[in-house]
Amino acid sequence: MRLLVTGGAGFIGANFVQQTVATRPDVSVTVLDALTYAGNRASLDSVADKIDFVHGDIADLDLVDNLVSGVDAVVHFAAESHNDNSLAEPWPFVQTNIVGTYSLLQAVRRHEVRYHHVSTDEVYGDLTEEDPAFTENTAYNPSSPYSATKAGSDLLVRAWTRSFGVKATLSNCSNNYGPFQHVEKFIPRQITNLIDGVRPRLYGAGHQIRDWIHVDDHNRAVFDILERGRIGQTYLIGAQGELDNLTVVRLILEAFGRPADDFDHVTDRPGHDQRYAIDASLLREELGWEPQYADFRAGLANTIAWYRDNEDWWRPKKAETELAYATAGEKTL
Ligand code: NAD
Ligand code: TDX
């Protein structure tokens, strides 16, 4: 199978490409990535001689049409992915997440190429602590410009499937953690702060709940859906990893041998979603997928070890990321 992977220099995409090269010698991979601030060519160093890399924009219709004409399937990871950035400047989210997805859909439609769309649980909005978890039938109710543009891209995929017969599947996953995640995101930000002797930064009281899944478990599910998923179907991906942010910060502090209260409460995120939770029954029952990283503490320990061992990878992004948070007005409460 010839596979085009968009966003393959980002966090989840790079892990997907590494996993595919390691486990699937029958698959050839071409990565299309614009190398935005979030993309890092070095994330693909270990597989550089085994893949083709194209530096370009998913919204470039001619480029995308040409690349799609030469493959059997597209897995679409590329996106503007950070909620805080979408609150500071929403336009790149509309451009990449909606216009970029449109560009890919037109190409897969024209060349009749299989398409898998990688999306997020945030399209469903948030839950109270009493609500049941999201299912494939939960109504869309996004909160931020990020989640609204991801929701818009999902709806384009559904329309292109129904109206034009595009052979697409969709997946909506919960919060990922693991190696190669940008230091702007919650877990790597706190790990790299602690490596630098800086206290973790918890938004507000830290009672928001996220449903953590290791990136490798997410990516195995994406491959299962690509190969065995039903055309037109949405699959939710999650590993029953619900934890509140305060607990996650304390687990990271514990791993560093620091006191449980050695962190700062900082300005909360406007419109901050309270809780995400995934019911992945369909994925488990229909495709037989099971997470391999059931123990969050163990997955977190591996992730911390990776950031300790790979300072060259994250160090160039750290100061500019913290400056952006400070410029956006983040203050200790
Ligand atoms: P990321 O920000 O780490 O990586 C995004 C990648 O896309 C980068 O390499 C960037 O250079 C590339 N890119 C951005 N705009 C582009 C464009 N116009 N053309 C080509 N490439 C472009 O993101 P991530 O965390 O790896 O997320 C990947 C996908 O998974 C996204 O679609 C995101 O919505 C989804 N998702 C993420 C999570 C999570 O917890 N991180 C959870 C569920 C779903
Ligand atoms: O410094 C921080 N302190 C903090 O308390 C940061 C960066 C975040 N937080 C909180 C906000 C969230 O409640 O931690 C939680 C996780 O924050 P993020 O890592 O920014 O993730 P989130 O907004 O939940 O979205 C993530 O999961 C779903 C990804 O960034 C999205 O791309 C994905 O769709």
Side-chain angles (χ1 to χ4, degrees), residues 204-240:
H207 296 317
Q208 292 79 12
I209 295 168
R210 297 294 181 264
D211 192 352
W212 293 100
I213 182 171
H214 193 278
V215 62
D216 288 345
D217 283 334
H218 179 186
N219 281 329
R220 284 188 307 98
V222 167
F223 220 104
D224 287 349
I225 297 165
L226 178 69
E227 292 200 300
R228 294 184 285 116
R230 271 180 290 137
I231 299 302
Q233 183 63 46
T234 290
Y235 295 86
L236 263 53
I237 307 174
Q240 292 178 300

Side-chain angles (χ1 to χ4, degrees), residues 177-196:
Y177 73 97
F180 298 101
Q181 186 169 29
H182 195 283
V183 291
E184 70 190 352
K185 301 290 177 10
F186 179 48
I187 289 179
R189 186 182 185 200
Q190 316 316 334
I191 293 172
T192 53
N193 274 357
L194 283 165
I195 291 172
D196 281 349

